[in-house]
Amino acid sequence: MKIRTRLTLLFTLITAMLLGVYSISIYYSSKEAREKSFYSELRNEAIAKADLFFQSSLPEQEMHKLYKNNNRTLNEVQVAIYDTTNRLIYHDDAKVDYVKETPEMLSRIFRKKKISFFMDNLQVIGMVYHYNGKTYAVTAASYDKYGYDYLTHLLTISIIAFISILILIYLAGILLSKKALSPLSEMVNQIKKITAGKLQLRLKTTGEKDELNELAGNFNKMLERLENSFDAQKYFVSNISHELRTPLSAIIAELELASEKDQTKEEYQQTIRYALDDARNMAKLSNSLMDLAKASYDPNEISFSEIRLDEVLLESYAKTTKENAAYKVSLNIDHDVEEHQLVIQGNEYLLQVAFNNLIDNACKYSPEHLCLIDVKIQKNALHINFVNTGIIISQKDLEHIFEPFYRSETSRKEKGYGIGLYLTEKITKLHNAYIVAFSDKNTTVFKFIIKLDNKITV
């Protein structure tokens, strides 16, 4: 069932319930009011007939005649009067006795002074009447034809109005729901046009601050993320294919050349060394890609624990200098930095990868192969600066330096794949930190910054 139909039916059902409760309340209130009003009329009629009987000179036969004449056109109230001995004093029409008073009934009237009840469709009242020091029991009974006709008419009108209003409400609900959900229908039609090859399409939004516009806005943001992911994936695959092709082609060429002609032992060893260098480069690229994949996980899937940044820096320093004997690293932690300020919730492996990349990058492009690491506190944030001297990075290259597979003109002389800094930035963001780079006056600095009051919220 469509939402439009469901909303219309639900709206109609709620209206029917409310209207039904209102109609039933009106009907039963009118019914109760009619009953009370007619009992009051019966009492007035009983008193009037008793007064007429006891206080006027009108003969009883004339009163009977008056009752019968009125009964032809009206539902005349039938009145009977009894004394304390239960003897009938007066009756409008003893032959057609509606009430058929019994001694028990008369006794109850004298005892309670006033009673009222239904007898079939008739309403009956009994009351005590005093005249000349004597007490009498007066009963009055009649059928409230006009009252019941009014109730029947009210019930008929209520049913007709109930059905008519429900039909109108249903039709209005269809029109209103169609109008209210028309943007959603248009949104569905737009979504159908979006495919893997048309991720640049977006849903139309208006300036209205409603749920549908909020949905369209969030959907567009999701499309933007998907488009960026698809573009990054295409770019990633294209560059990986290129980067893997180069060492593979070199290995194949060297081995084919060695197999086509006889060579000396030294030449074969040289060929093997070239092939090993290319294989190591491929292994290094493969490791970088694996690290990149780990850094691309959902943060909820990555294990975080309490670690000390100074210890991670020392391990990165030791690993880098062990793998490259020519590299030199100097670590300086400002005396203002307290021990607890170095403790964060993070992933030790990924942070080592990030710091290794920054140290390797600094040593690689420094003429002295020297990286200076400076740890300090500034503006309620922990700053870890990786500094090297040498060829500076142009402003144009700095704008793209954290993009995947991007290599500046000055870095093309050194071996690399353009993955390290991109991977470092992703790891930094995973730890709710950020990294910036600037290069000026023969000095290049990469700043790893993490706020002390916002250390990892995973």
Side-chain angles (χ1 to χ4, degrees), residues 365 405-416:
Y365 298 105
F405 301 103
Y406 180 81
R407 303 199 71 199
S408 64
E409 292 296 329
T410 56
S411 66
R412 296 188 184 276
K413 298 176 183 179
E414 300 289 341
K415 289 184 179 180

Side-chain angles (χ1 to χ4, degrees), residues 194-202 223-224 226-228 230-231:
I194 299 174
T195 61
K198 295 182 179 180
L199 286 176
Q200 74 279 3
L201 297 178
R202 296 292 183 270
L223 285 176
E224 186 175 350
L226 285 174
E227 185 181 12
N228 292 337
F230 270 72
D231 291 341

Side-chain angles (χ1 to χ4, degrees), residues 163-181:
I163 295 173
S164 302
I165 291 174
L166 282 190
I167 293 173
L168 292 175
I169 289 293
Y170 181 76
L171 295 176
I174 291 175
L175 294 176
L176 290 175
S177 61
K178 183 178 181 181
K179 184 177 180 180
L181 295 176

Side-chain angles (χ1 to χ4, degrees), residues 35 61 65 81 88 93 103 106 137 143 164 175 179 191 255 275 292 330 333 345 357 366 371 424:
E35 183 179 321
Q61 291 79 7
K65 186 177 179 181
I81 303 174
L88 180 64
D93 189 356
L106 295 173
Y143 174 74
S164 302
L175 294 176
K179 184 177 180 180
I191 290 174
L255 294 178
L292 181 59
S330 174
I333 300 178
Q345 290 289 322
N357 286 334
S366 169
C371 173
T424 298

Side-chain angles (χ1 to χ4, degrees), residues 169-230:
I169 289 293
Y170 181 76
L171 295 176
I174 291 175
L175 294 176
L176 290 175
S177 61
K178 183 178 181 181
K179 184 177 180 180
L181 295 176
S182 58
L184 189 59
S185 300
E186 184 180 352
M187 194 182 299
V188 171
N189 292 330
Q190 293 175 25
I191 290 174
K192 289 179 179 178
K193 298 177 183 178
I194 299 174
T195 61
K198 295 182 179 180
L199 286 176
Q200 74 279 3
L201 297 178
R202 296 292 183 270
L203 299 182
K204 295 180 181 178
T205 57
T206 63
E208 298 292 333
K209 294 182 179 180
D210 55 23
E211 290 80 359
L212 291 179
N213 270 288
E214 185 178 356
L215 175 63
N218 287 322
F219 191 83
N220 286 339
K221 290 178 182 178
M222 182 188 72
L223 285 176
E224 186 175 350
R225 292 193 297 270
L226 285 174
E227 185 181 12
N228 292 337
S229 297
F230 270 72

Side-chain angles (χ1 to χ4, degrees), residues 310 313-314 317 329-333 371-375 384:
D310 55 340
L313 285 169
L314 286 171
Y317 154 75
V329 181
S330 174
L331 175 60
N332 174 54
I333 300 178
C371 173
L372 302 175
I373 304 175
D374 187 26
V375 181
I384 304 177

Side-chain angles (χ1 to χ4, degrees), residues 82-87 89 106-107 110 129 134-137:
Y82 292 83
D83 62 13
T84 54
T85 63
N86 296 340
R87 183 174 63 90
I89 303 298
L106 295 173
S107 175
F110 284 118
Y129 181 84
K134 295 182 179 180
T135 303
Y136 300 91

